Amino acid sequence: MSIDVTGFSFSAVSTFKSCPRAYRYKYVDKLPEAFSSIEAHLGSSVHEALEWAYTQRREGYEPTLEMALEQYKYAWNSGDFDKIKIVKEDKRKDDYFNQGCEFIAYFFQRVFPYDQSTTLYLEHKFEIPLGEDIIYRGVIDRIAKEPDGTLKVTDYKTGRVGHPLDTLQLPSYAMYIFRHNIDDEIRLCFEDLREQRTIAVPYTRKEVEKVKEELLKEIEQIRNTKEEDFITQPSILCLWCGYNQVCDNPHGSVTAVRPTGTNTGQPGNGSGEIQEACPRCGGQLQKKNGKFGPFLGCGNFPQCRYTLDINVQKGNPAENPEVEGKDICPECGSLLKRRKGKYGAFMGCTNYPECRFTRDLGEEGER
């Protein structure tokens, strides 16, 4: 059965692309995250300070750097640090706090005093219909009018950031702006606080239709995904995921720091033994039984088709010499054999036609 979700956002779409399982936990199962990252707390604290500063200016006051830092300190100290996690072992809480101070100091020295635009909205929430039973939502950090009359949409970034048109975030905000404004061109802006730069680009009304099509394509992929097909896509970013302790297949970096016997909320062998991570994608290797005995297969199959003979993995002689050091079919456990077809060489299951598994050598290479 496909999921019944009607509300979407750029954050939700990005979560699905990064890890469908995390999307399911958050937007379908609506599970609370066990923790939030210190990086996320840093970002929200800086945002609160900058929102306060522009609110003061809009009300006729001109805030100083010292006043903005006080607001930042207040927002920072309001965090629930019992549920805020520092992942990087070489960093301390004060390191992140001081980094936020640097971000605000840069902004007040090089951007805020010279910004002559008029603030129209701050932390502006919006929603627009994209199609039947589909609502797209977002929160725009700042909407302002430049001295030349052009509307500018700004998003403040405390993490690593690319070009404003690299993702659908700002273009999707533009889609909302053009629905409520007659202008044919606006400016989209990232304030990159980490790299101390402003990246602003013009954006026209004629480009919006393509954005809508791309969003609908992404959303339909989510809506048509069956609940059981919300697979994990393990990566080092799993360490920052608030669901990594309930996930049954996180990145090996997570299992390496889990206490023995950690309850994942999923069936297991109960031994508390930590399985190795797949060397290709970081997924959890799982023990499977095949025609020639047990072998290890990636839990991200069929997205990742890595397999390994357990006897080779342990450094022991194989029970069947025919198997040792050779590829094993992840579907039935039979041997894979190199074959040649119309489009070049590939690996095919020796149990064909009962098993029709193949792997393109052109994509993965020979092992």
Side-chain angles (χ1 to χ4, degrees):
M1 182 180 72
S2 300
I3 64 167
D4 184 19
V5 176
T6 57
F8 295 88
S9 64
F10 173 75
S11 177
V13 172
S14 298
T15 298
F16 178 82
K17 292 172 70 175
S18 176
C19 181
R21 181 68 62 83
Y23 176 90
R24 195 194 78 182
Y25 286 147
K26 185 169 185 176
Y27 297 100
V28 180
D29 300 337
K30 300 186 183 303
L31 296 178
E33 295 185 69
F35 64 87
S36 61
S37 70
I38 191 79
E39 290 88 352
H41 179 60
L42 166 63
S44 63
S45 299
V46 169
H47 274 70
E48 285 189 37
L50 297 184
E51 179 188 4
W52 173 87
Y54 275 109
T55 299
Q56 292 295 302
R57 176 175 282 179
R58 187 168 60 179
E59 294 177 354
Y61 304 99
E62 195 61 22
T64 64
L65 169 59
E66 289 71 23
M67 295 167 67
L69 288 174
E70 281 299 314
Q71 289 297 317
Y72 167 67
K73 183 178 180 180
Y74 175 80
W76 177 271
N77 290 333
S78 298
D80 183 359
F81 287 96
D82 289 335
K83 293 184 178 180
I84 295 174
K85 183 176 181 180
I86 299 177
V87 174
K88 295 181 178 180
E89 295 181 355
D90 60 339
K91 295 287 187 180
R92 300 176 304 157
K93 181 172 132 180
D94 288 347
D95 294 329
Y96 289 95
F97 173 78
N98 292 334
Q99 188 177 43
C101 291
E102 293 173 2
F103 291 163
I104 293 172
Y106 149 73
F107 194 79
F108 266 76
Q109 291 165 3
R110 301 187 184 181
V111 180
F112 192 73
Y114 309 104
D115 187 353
Q116 298 180 15
S117 63
T118 301
T119 298
L120 301 179
Y121 301 98
L122 294 167
E123 294 296 313
H124 182 66
K125 297 180 180 179
F126 72 87
E127 61 177 44
I128 53 176
L130 282 189
E132 186 176 353
D133 298 328
I134 298 178
I135 300 296
Y136 185 75
R137 301 184 176 95
V139 181
I140 303 175
D141 289 348
R142 183 171 179 253
I143 304 174
K145 179 171 287 190
E146 299 274 45
D148 64 2
T150 303
L151 287 180
K152 181 172 75 171
V153 176
T154 300
D155 194 80
Y156 301 104
K157 297 294 186 183
T158 56
R160 301 194 183 281
V161 62
H163 191 275
L165 303 184
D166 282 348
T167 71
L168 292 177
Q169 182 185 13
L170 289 184
S172 71
Y173 295 173
M175 185 172 58
Y176 162 75
I177 296 294
F178 283 127
R179 285 177 63 94
H180 297 83
N181 191 277
I182 62 173
D183 294 347
D184 289 326
E185 182 175 298
I186 63 175
R187 291 193 184 103
L188 304 181
C189 174
F190 276 156
E191 284 292 351
D192 185 352
L193 302 175
R194 177 183 290 269
E195 298 297 329
Q196 300 187 1
R197 58 179 180 165
T198 300
I199 315 172
V201 296
Y203 200 77
T204 61
R205 182 181 295 273
K206 65 181 181 180
E207 298 173 85
V208 165
E209 194 59 34
K210 184 178 179 181
V211 175
K212 180 179 178 181
E213 291 175 3
E214 291 183 24
L215 274 175
L216 284 173
K217 183 178 178 180
E218 302 267 7
I219 290 171
E220 285 305 315
Q221 181 182 357
I222 298 174
R223 298 186 79 185
N224 292 329
T225 301
K226 298 179 180 179
E227 288 194 39
E228 62 271 20
D229 292 334
F230 282 88
I231 62 170
T232 57
Q233 290 182 187
S235 74
I236 194 66
L237 296 179
C238 290
L239 284 170
W240 282 264
C241 177
Y243 300 113
N244 66 26
Q245 292 299 309
V246 297
C247 181
D248 62 319
N249 184 35
H251 188 260
S253 56
V254 174
T255 58
V257 298
R258 275 183 180 171
T260 300
T262 295
N263 179 20
T264 64
Q266 299 290 340
N269 57 22
S271 67
E273 180 181 346
I274 296 175
Q275 293 181 311
E276 291 186 14
C278 171
R280 290 186 183 170
C281 74
Q284 193 172 11
L285 295 181
Q286 300 174 350
K287 184 177 179 180
K288 301 181 179 182
N289 291 311
K291 183 176 180 181
F292 293 96
F295 66 97
L296 294 178
C298 183
N300 283 338
F301 177 84
Q303 283 70 28
C304 179
R305 298 170 181 264
Y306 177 83
T307 58
L308 180 65
D309 174 21
I310 284 181
N311 293 294
V312 173
Q313 187 259 347
K314 291 181 177 179
N316 298 327
E319 295 179 5
N320 188 330
E322 185 183 1
V323 179
E324 187 172 6
K326 295 187 177 181
D327 271 343
I328 299 170
C329 174
E331 291 190 353
C332 73
S334 300
L335 291 177
L336 295 180
K337 182 178 180 181
R338 181 185 174 92
R339 301 179 186 275
K340 185 171 290 187
K342 180 179 179 181
Y343 299 102
F346 67 95
M347 299 297 287
C349 183
T350 55
N351 196 28
Y352 178 86
E354 285 75 15
C355 177
R356 297 176 178 269
F357 174 83
T358 61
R359 187 176 69 224
D360 184 1
L361 285 175
E363 291 184 2
E364 299 186 9
E366 296 184 65
R367 290 195 283 117

